[in-house]
């Protein structure tokens, strides 16, 4: 995907050659090295035993329940979550659940209406890469991961809420 | 009062810097208005009819004298010399230039205040009642848990883009003075058999176009689970709340759609997964925060002060004010004093000038412990006043037009700003409030009527809480003309109820007459010491309907 930022050892970088691409359901997979396919397609390939588990990523829509991918999480290299609009916050909860409840360790990518001013929130909820909206400058967006970042509650990146850290002092 | 620690300070300062950059990017055109909108809302900036408005949070309604002075300075230097206190313990400045907002936020941050999440589809300012910590009917001081919730919800990354706004209120007294049942989440704090702190969790309240009181989904929740339980509620809401229709997006609609039991089960299931983790509150944290709310150094004084008694006997106006505008304090010899922001026709409900703010700040220091509270009814409160100082305080307040003895009476009107400011308004609510205050300015009559709340909203969004006013007035637009629909029997507090419409709407100029007729019906039916709302409950709305519309009906019959 173009315009993508990734966390490398926790530090944000622009990924110049990101191999992943979103693939429509009617597009064949053979020519694509790192496709991200829809959840429905992923499920049906998996049931048929046709899924190349190690090279396919899956895209969850905001209505999809993260629990349904839980059985395949160990081998999934990438899960993309979609922000149909940056004002639709369901993917924050999905990301948090994938990381904290289902223990997903692979790459968790934000796609769709992904904008600079929300990147820090996404990182807190467990996203590790960000496909910034194509009409935006990825270098500008990168700044979104270096500014204001303080919270009180716990998050995926701050597993302890502030009050536990405060009292540890 | 809660004082910021290093982290709290650093957070609000960093937030100001972030918003300064966002404003600059908006002004340069790098951010579109659409992209900027939620960012400015989450920093309290609305676009009104004529200008930007800034809404500043007053968490759980508590201000220090210096904080109030900072608000006065903002009113003077950045606005037109006044601010407007709202029903949810915020203050709004109506005439703000966007490019100056970062400087205002900086002033606020320097005084341990902010405007974070006072708007937008996120958890809003946590509110409680104005007499927290001092009321004689209080069970437990709700402010420590309110502050803990404030911190938890501030910039909580998972819950900043909810389907719709989310309002939480907490209360812990015999009388509920925080309208907790009209909130998305209402929390009632009480003690269990062994003295432990427990919470009743009520979900799904809200007014707007579909007024609903919240329902209990959990009794006896140990306080340690406050944050995890609210987290579970918010997570269920964030996942399943409707996003296709703005008017069906509040949590109340989800609760109704699932049914309160199914909703509660869903929350419990989510909660089971997180309840015993690191987010469970600790006694150390509670103690740390509660320490900040320690009672001030009260003097040990007698409950009865002879000078005070003498002034009561000598000065009837003072005595009426004491009776109406002061409340019982848990400490003998002290009272809480309510400053009415409803002097009648000279200023709209909730408006306070910079000069008044400064005087109130000075008085809070001179006679109290430098603390001021903001009440749901848009009034201010000086919580800790020695009875012996009441007379001097009264005289000082009178000079500032803040001693109108009408607290809890008909002219203590709650009103939204309406069409004079608000761009969503269907009608202008302030002139109606003014006409009512003008018509009923006889204090003896008001006192005879007794406790009576009157709430006005300029449109169905119900910012004036008209559904839960004993008399509610809702402005509606009919083919470009302003009309006002009247409801009666609404109430807030423990006996909350939603008012019922009495009949066809009125033109603005007819409203005071209609109210007058409602009151005549009440006066002719009431039993000894019976409040307006109790009479409505006892006899129903039919006699009121008849009394209000009789002449019109007579006319129709005559011409038929
Ligand atoms: C420009 C000014 C304002 C705008 C644009 C505005 C807008 C709105 C809207 C759209 C709602 C309905 C939300 C819903 O049902 O989902 C609402 C609710 C509310 N507003 Fe305002 N408002 C404004 C000023 C005020 C003021 C001045 C007050 C207090 C005096 C206030 C207090 C409230 C309250 C308490 C509610 C909650 C009612 C509920 O639970 O549904 N608002 N506001
Ligand atoms: S009730 Fe309507 S008119 Fe009044 S402030 Fe709210 S949105 Fe504006």
């Amino acid at each position: 995907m173009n315009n993508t930022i990734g966390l490398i050892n926790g530090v944000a970088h622009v990924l110049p050659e990101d191999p992943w691409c979103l693939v429509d359901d009617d597009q064949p997979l053979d020519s694509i090295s790192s496709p991200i396919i829809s959840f429905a397609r992923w499920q049906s390939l998996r049931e048929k035993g046709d899924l190349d588990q190690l090279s396919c990523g899956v895209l969850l829509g905001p209505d999809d329940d993260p629990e349904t991918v839980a059985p395949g999480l160990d081998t999934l290299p990438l899960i993309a979550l979609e922000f149909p609009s940056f004002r639709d916050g369901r993917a924050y909860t999905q990301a948090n659940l994938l990381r904290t409840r289902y223990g997903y360790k692979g790459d968790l990518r934000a796609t769709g209406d992904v904008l600079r001013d929300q990147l820090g929130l996404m990182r807190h909820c467990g996203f590790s890469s960000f496909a910034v909206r194509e009409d935006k400058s990825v270098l500008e967006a990168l700044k979104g991961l270096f500014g204001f970042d303080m919270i009180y509650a716990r998050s995926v990146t701050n597993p302890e809420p502030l009050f536990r850290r405060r009292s540890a002092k | 009062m809660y004082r910021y620690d290093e982290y709290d300070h650093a957070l609000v300062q960093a937030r100001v810097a972030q918003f300064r950059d966002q404003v600059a990017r908006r002004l340069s055109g790098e951010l579109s208005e659409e992209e900027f909108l939620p960012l400015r809302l989450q920093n309290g900036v609305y676009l009104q009819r004529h200008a930007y408005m800034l809404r500043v949070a007053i968490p759980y309604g508590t201000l220090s004298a210096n904080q109030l002075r900072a608000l006065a300075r903002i009113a003077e230097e950045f606005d037109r010399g006044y601010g407007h206190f709202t029903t949810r313990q915020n203050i709004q400045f109506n005439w703000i230039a966007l490019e100056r907002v970062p400087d205002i936020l900086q002033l606020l941050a320097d005084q341990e205040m902010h405007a974070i999440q006072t708007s937008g589809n996120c958890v809003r300012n946590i509110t409680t009642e104005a007499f927290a910590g001092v009321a004689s009917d209080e069970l437990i001081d709700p402010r420590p848990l309110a502050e803990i919730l404030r911190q938890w919800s501030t910039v909580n990354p998972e819950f900043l883009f909810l389907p719709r706004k989310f309002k939480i209120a907490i209360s812990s007294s015999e009388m509920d003075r925080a309208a907790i049942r009209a909130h998305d989440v209402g929390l009632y704090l009480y003690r269990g058999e062994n003295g432990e702190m427990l919470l009743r969790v009520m979900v799904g309240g809200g007014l707007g176009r579909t007024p609903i009181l919240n329902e209990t989904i959990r009794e006896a929740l140990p306080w340690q689970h406050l944050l995890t339980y609210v987290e579970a509620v918010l997570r269920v809401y964030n996942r399943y709340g409707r996003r296709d229709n703005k008017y069906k997006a509040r949590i109340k609609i989800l609760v109704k759609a699932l049914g309160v039991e199914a909703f509660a089960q869903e929350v419990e299931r989510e909660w089971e997964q997180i309840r015993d983790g690191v987010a469970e509150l600790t006694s150390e944290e509670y103690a740390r925060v509660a320490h900040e709310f320690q009672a001030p150094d009260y003097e040990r004084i007698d409950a009865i002060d002879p000078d005070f008694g003498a002034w009561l006997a000598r000065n009837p106006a003072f005595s009426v004010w004491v009776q109406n505008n002061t409340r019982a304090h848990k400490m003998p010899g002290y009272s809480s004093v309510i400053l009415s922001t409803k002097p009648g026709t000279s200023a709209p409900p909730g408006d306070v000038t910079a000069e008044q703010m400064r005087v109130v700040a000075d008085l809070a220091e001179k006679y109290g412990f430098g603390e001021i509270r903001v009440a749901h009814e848009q009034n201010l409160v000086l919580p800790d006043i020695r009875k012996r100082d009441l007379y001097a305080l009264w005289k000082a307040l009178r000079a500032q037009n803040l001693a109108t003895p009408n607290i809890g009476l008909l002219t203590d009107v709650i009103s939204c700003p309406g069409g004079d400011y608000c761009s969503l308004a269907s009608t202008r609510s302030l002139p109606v409030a003014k006409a009512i205050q003008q018509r009923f300015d006889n204090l003896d009559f008001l006192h005879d009527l007794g406790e009576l709340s009157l709430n006005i909203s300029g449109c169905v969004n119900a910012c004036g809480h008209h559904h839960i006013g004993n008399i509610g007035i809702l402005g509606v637009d009919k083919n470009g003309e302003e009309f006002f629909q009247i409801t009666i029997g609404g109430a807030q507090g423990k006996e909350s109820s939603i008012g019922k419409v009495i009949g066809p709407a009125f033109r603005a100029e007819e409203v005071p007459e209609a109210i007058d007729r409602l009151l005549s019906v009440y006066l002719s039916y009431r039993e000894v010491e019976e409040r307006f709302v109790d009479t409505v409950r006892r006899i129903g709305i039919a006699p009121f309907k008849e009394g209000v519309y009789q002449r019109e009906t007579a006319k129709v019959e005559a011409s038929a």
Side-chain angles (χ1 to χ4, degrees), chain A residues 93 96 117 152 164 166, chain B residues 8 25 158 278 280 288:
Chain A
T93 287
N96 185 9
D117 293 285
Y152 290 96
R164 300 244 170 210
R166 259 177 178 149
Chain B
D8 302 315
R25 285 191 285 134
E158 189 180 340
V278 289
E280 183 179 330
R288 180 185 79 87

Side-chain angles (χ1 to χ4, degrees), chain B residues 521-523 525-527 530-540 544:
Chain B
V521 176
Y522 161 59
L523 292 174
Y525 280 90
R526 82 166 160 194
E527 293 177 346
E530 191 178 43
R531 297 175 310 166
F532 177 85
V533 65
D534 295 323
T535 306
V536 177
R537 284 178 182 156
R538 182 169 55 80
I539 67 176
F544 290 93

Side-chain angles (χ1 to χ4, degrees), chain B residues 23-50:
Chain B
V23 169
R25 285 191 285 134
R26 172 69 196 113
L27 294 174
S28 76
E30 192 184 324
L31 274 173
S32 70
E33 179 55 24
E34 193 220 340
E35 290 158 5
F36 182 59
L37 177 78
L39 308 179
R40 70 164 159 79
L41 290 178
Q42 296 203 357
N43 286 287
V45 183
Y46 273 84
L47 187 55
Q48 294 200 126
R49 181 159 289 192
H50 309 289

Side-chain angles (χ1 to χ4, degrees), chain B residues 209 253 314 349 354 500 553 557:
Chain B
R209 40 192 92 202
I253 306 290
R314 217 176 308 161
K500 296 202 180 78
T553 339
E557 276 163 12

Side-chain angles (χ1 to χ4, degrees), chain B residues 458-488:
Chain B
C459 79
V460 288
N461 286 317
C463 300
H465 278 182
H466 64 276
H467 300 107
I468 54 172
N470 298 163
I471 297 176
I473 300 179
L474 163 66
V476 289
D477 173 286
K478 287 192 191 168
N479 306 321
E481 236 191 303
E482 297 191 342
F483 278 86
F484 293 86
Q485 192 181 66
I486 298 184
T487 50
I488 57 172

